[in-house]
Amino acid sequence: METVSIRKTVLLVQIWFMLNASPHIAHCQFPAFSKLQLSLRTIGPESAAFDRKGGGPYTGIADGRVLKYQGPKVGFTDFAITSPNRTKERCDRKNGPELQQICGRPLGLGFYNKTGDLYITDAYYGLVKVRPSGRIAQRITSFKGRRFAFLDALDIDQKLGFIYFVDLGAIF
């Protein structure tokens, strides 16, 4: 089981690299890889994840959306949002930090394969969960009475169902 976890981690690092590396590096040093292009004015892919059926990758971007890659003919499509206050008119393709409190800022992504749910750490909305069909995320506000501060990365133990995440709050 540990080998599967290591393989997934390596794959996620490779996907992150493909999404963020310059075309020169991606094509010269790793000729078997190709870069997945996000649409113009889309910035900030922070994390990548694949669903239990191998779909994706999914990635969160700076305007508050989680995108799913649908293949080379379709590209990336909207899958979910983390903020209940987000509107397309106000947030789509607008990457200003002042809008992130309204639009959301998904950072870490991870699927729990048993249910197919996507868990997301959002800088402003904390830990949220999206059903396999996508759409608006359900907020998880605290754990054992302790509120979340500024959540970043996450990982899910598929065997035990535990969610591990980084909380970059003021208290370390």
Side-chain angles (χ1 to χ4, degrees), residues 14-29:
Q14 290 172 338
I15 295 297
W16 178 87
F17 183 80
M18 288 180 353
L19 291 171
N20 291 290
S22 73
H24 176 73
I25 293 172
H27 291 296
C28 292
Q29 291 183 347

Side-chain angles (χ1 to χ4, degrees), residues 83-130:
S83 168
N85 305 314
R86 189 184 193 289
T87 63
K88 286 182 150 308
E89 299 77 29
R90 180 180 239 177
C91 300
D92 276 14
R93 296 183 183 18
K94 297 181 179 115
N95 301 308
E98 69 282 355
L99 288 175
Q100 291 181 356
Q101 290 182 357
I102 298 165
C103 304
R105 179 58 173 110
L107 297 173
L109 304 174
F111 279 94
Y112 183 42
N113 293 334
K114 185 175 180 179
T115 62
D117 293 337
L118 174 62
Y119 287 84
I120 305 165
T121 52
D122 184 281
Y124 297 94
Y125 291 93
L127 183 63
V128 298
K129 174 177 76 170
V130 179

Side-chain angles (χ1 to χ4, degrees), residues 146-147 149-150 166-172:
R146 296 189 68 180
R147 297 190 62 78
F150 186 95
V166 178
D167 187 337
L168 301 172
I171 301 172
F172 295 96

